[in-house]
Amino acid sequence: MTESVFLRCIDPGCHATLDVDSVVHGCPLCGGLVDVAYDWDRLPTPGAITFFAERWGGRGRPLDLSGVWRFRELLPFAREEELVTIGEGQTLLQTPDVRSLDLDLMPGRLGFQYEGLNPSGSFKDNGMAAAFTMARRLGRRLVACASTGNTSASMAMYASLTRLPDGRPMRGIVFVGSGKIALGKLSQALDYGAQTLQVDGDFDACMRRIREASDRLGLYLMNSVNPFRLEGQKTIMYRVLEGMSWEAPDWIVVPGGNLGNTSAFGKAFMELQMLGLVSHIPRLAVVNAAGADTLCALFNDHGLRWNGGEWDRECVTAFYGKMDGAGVKASTIATAIEIARPVNLAKALRSLDVMNGVVCRVTDDAILEEKARIGRTGFGCEPASAASLAGLRQLLSKGVIDRGSRVVCILTGHALKDPDATVMYHMGREEGGAAAPPRRFSNSPVRVADDPDAICRAIGQD
Ligand SMILES: *Cc1c(COP(=O)(O)O)cnc(C)c1O
């Protein structure tokens, strides 16, 4: 099997290939990003995508229960006995009521892919199952990530649950920056026993430091520059298809941080189309927070495109130079996407090309309002996830997405990840105790005297 799987630089001008077991954080020749690549002609692939549905019936078998490994023929980089799973990806495509969301879409046309239902509460588990498979196969004991929170929560969980083939436990090391980190996520990393290093610098600085430390100490890097993470995250799209009876929607809407999902989704559809397993590729809408909008600025304001792999590197270097010169740092309530230098930028451009994508930016106020609306439909999520609905509303109002489209928003993380953001919205308390302006869907506790009449009056008549 191994000869049919390799790593390949995504730059068509380079296309260097490497052995699948090489541990690299980029192309050794040109420094670009690498993909996990397959020689599909030599691999057994199913004749029709509905093949995977039959595995639903085999839920007693861990690999068929996993929402990642149920699709193992589509990420065939390891042998079955090597696969790491803890039952990730048990997530479903939900159909919220577009009227209660006050959304100008035809009824039944909206889906929420609810990735908050993963074991650690975010979609990151999809990628970790794949990346831990590779780490274990390579015998790497020390695993590390720089994180805005969910990557560390997920990595810490898998590190505590995975043993090397020789029985030794793995050890997780988390780098968190001085930026905001939601307490739900930090608490997970601590509880699962990962060593947590608080680096005096933002996420982007952490990312630089961790690459240096992994070179020096041989840490296995679990950030989404690890191409195996993205193989696992491709399966989010397979489950969307499964939820729609294998008929692709018109649009996928996803928040964009380090752009791992954006990259994985495009690769998923590129491969499905190449294998003849889907007839149509959905369009992609990537949503940045206004305070962390590098992709949006480069794509919309500077016209940056994949351009067959000849994307304008100088434009990006100049953009970052200007950003650093002006001392601009990412800043948003949606901490999971508070990233100014997305590591998967090049792969994301490729995805936008494959999926005929668009990019937009939304304000923190819009994110919080949509989060409250999503909460009211019963699908609680964290702020970054709600950026998808805020983006959808904007794209509907601009006519980019029309009301007859079938749209799937990816709800990336669970509401309990960031209770502070929720409580702050509903109760109007900002950090430091200062009062905030009232919010549209604010739902504060009502103070009431310890008295039956007062309680009945407060509840009122229905
Ligand atoms: C990591 C994360 C994101 C950002 O995803 P990328 O793949 O890095 O763009 C968005 N939402 C949540 C909840 C996350 O944990």
Side-chain angles (χ1 to χ4, degrees), residues 254-270:
V254 67
N258 257 323
L259 305 175
N261 271 340
T262 301
S263 303
F265 296 175
K267 187 167 188 281
F269 279 104
M270 224 158 64

Side-chain angles (χ1 to χ4, degrees), residues 122-124 150 233 255-261 336-337 382 384-385 412-413:
S122 84
F123 76 84
K124 299 293 196 301
N150 281 330
Q233 288 168 216
N258 257 323
L259 305 175
N261 271 340
I337 52 173
E382 63 170 281
S385 314
T412 45

Side-chain angles (χ1 to χ4, degrees), residues 110-344:
L110 179 67
F112 281 160
Q113 180 62 27
Y114 195 21
E115 291 296 311
L117 287 190
N118 270 288
S120 82
S122 84
F123 76 84
K124 299 293 196 301
D125 297 347
N126 293 287
M128 287 299 165
F132 270 79
T133 292
M134 205 56 198
R136 187 170 70 167
R137 159 170 159 169
L138 295 168
R140 304 299 284 265
R141 203 172 85 79
L142 295 178
V143 292
C145 67
S147 178
T148 62
N150 281 330
T151 301
S152 53
S154 181
M155 187 197 78
M157 184 184 71
Y158 275 86
S160 66
L161 282 161
T162 310
R163 284 187 176 263
L164 292 175
D166 64 10
R168 283 179 304 156
M170 291 180 127
R171 183 176 151 210
I173 302 159
V174 168
F175 286 51
V176 295
S178 57
K180 301 186 276 291
I181 176 165
L183 280 186
K185 308 175 187 181
L186 180 62
S187 68
Q188 286 177 289
L190 300 177
D191 215 37
Y192 293 131
Q195 180 179 25
T196 303
L197 302 178
Q198 273 187 305
V199 180
D200 279 336
D202 61 6
F203 174 83
D204 301 300
C206 276
M207 207 53 233
R208 273 197 294 276
R209 297 294 170 239
I210 197 169
R211 285 183 199 235
E212 292 158 7
S214 25
D215 289 341
R216 282 164 61 173
L217 301 173
L219 313 177
Y220 189 72
L221 200 55
M222 286 293 182
N223 281 97
S224 53
V225 282
N226 182 322
F228 296 96
R229 275 267 312 271
L230 305 190
E231 291 304 289
Q233 288 168 216
K234 289 190 308 195
T235 65
I236 299 170
M237 289 299 100
Y238 306 153
R239 295 196 298 275
V240 165
L241 288 173
E242 193 173 57
M244 302 188 84
S245 308
W246 311 105
E247 182 72 34
D250 299 307
W251 285 90
I252 301 286
V253 187
V254 67
N258 257 323
L259 305 175
N261 271 340
T262 301
S263 303
F265 296 175
K267 187 167 188 281
F269 279 104
M270 224 158 64
E271 291 172 349
L272 286 177
Q273 190 178 51
M274 198 264 305
L275 292 168
L277 294 175
V278 288
S279 53
H280 137 89
I281 294 186
R283 297 189 68 187
L284 180 68
V286 185
V287 187
N288 276 164
D293 64 347
T294 297
L295 181 67
C296 187
L298 286 171
F299 192 81
N300 293 334
D301 309 340
H302 295 268
L304 185 70
R305 292 294 181 277
W306 171 242
N307 193 23
E310 309 258 313
W311 53 281
D312 187 348
R313 283 132 175 104
E314 277 163 33
C315 164
V316 176
T317 310
F319 181 85
Y320 287 148
K322 230 167 125 186
M323 197 169 75
D324 291 344
V328 176
K329 298 267 185 241
S331 173
T332 165
I333 183 89
T335 52
I337 52 173
E338 189 175 55
I339 289 164
R341 291 173 185 261
V343 298
N344 285 300

